[in-house]
Amino acid sequence: KDLIGKLAKFEPLKRIGVNFVDCAIASTKEGIKFNIRMLQGLGNLAGVGSAFLDTGTKVAKVGHTTGLTSGRVTAFELDNVVMGFDIGNLRFDNQIEIEGAEAGPFSQGGDSGSLIVDEERLAVALLFAGSDQGGLNSQGLTYANPIQTVLDTLEVDLAF
């Protein structure tokens, strides 16, 4: 009754070795109406951004838990990011680290899967994890997969 879509494709996580993405896509149930381009509070997605993000790049996302938040990139091409999952601690390389630009955190639990965009509303990353410690505001750090790596892995394009 509450079904809105079905898992269409995902990248299995590796318990041993290096992960580069934590991502999946779903097919939407026929008849579900939504605007695929709309980022509530930001406007329409404008495209896919550059594969290169520099430290200090301003970003935003609309998450399930925290809604619209803004942040800034604090590290890119970050290796050996270890996150705890049900199957154990997993390593991720080539990740993006983001801190909140406001008093609160950039993300919290439940925001995973949020699309992260730059100031021009170009997609740059996919949020997959976070911590409640660190960052200049001491509100935690967020970790994201570069969006082009996600798109290439899933063999999909963003609609915009």
Side-chain angles (χ1 to χ4, degrees):
K1 201 174 182 183
D2 294 334
L3 179 72
I4 61 167
K6 290 185 180 180
L7 179 65
K9 193 172 187 180
F10 69 98
E11 179 68 11
L13 295 173
K14 300 173 190 156
R15 292 177 68 186
I16 299 171
V18 177
N19 293 281
F20 294 96
V21 294
D22 177 10
C23 59
I25 56 172
S27 60
T28 310
K29 182 178 174 183
E30 192 174 321
I32 299 287
K33 295 184 191 273
F34 63 97
N35 183 343
I36 197 166
R37 294 178 192 95
M38 175 55 77
L39 300 168
Q40 193 168 6
L42 288 173
N44 285 337
L45 179 65
V48 177
S50 170
F52 176 77
L53 286 179
D54 203 358
T55 301
T57 299
K58 293 179 181 179
V59 294
K61 65 101 186 91
V62 180
H64 175 74
T65 303
T66 57
L68 175 60
T69 59
S70 61
R72 68 185 140 268
V73 173
T74 53
F76 57 93
E77 295 179 0
L78 187 61
D79 291 339
N80 204 30
V81 175
V82 178
M83 290 291 157
F85 286 78
D86 292 344
I87 60 172
N89 290 333
L90 305 181
R91 176 183 169 176
F92 290 82
D93 281 359
N94 194 34
Q95 301 304 299
I96 300 166
E97 182 183 81
I98 300 165
E99 68 179 2
E102 300 152 357
F106 183 70
S107 69
Q108 291 181 340
D111 286 336
S112 293
S114 297
L115 183 65
I116 299 171
V117 297
D118 65 12
E119 289 183 294
E120 297 166 355
R121 292 185 325 279
L122 297 170
V124 294
L126 182 71
L127 194 156
F128 85 97
S131 69
D132 57 3
Q133 299 175 0
L136 290 177
N137 67 2
S138 300
Q139 294 296 308
L141 294 167
T142 295
Y143 297 95
N145 312 141
I147 197 62
Q148 196 58 58
T149 305
V150 171
L151 298 174
D152 291 347
T153 299
L154 294 173
E155 299 175 327
V156 296
D157 294 315
L158 272 181
F160 55 90

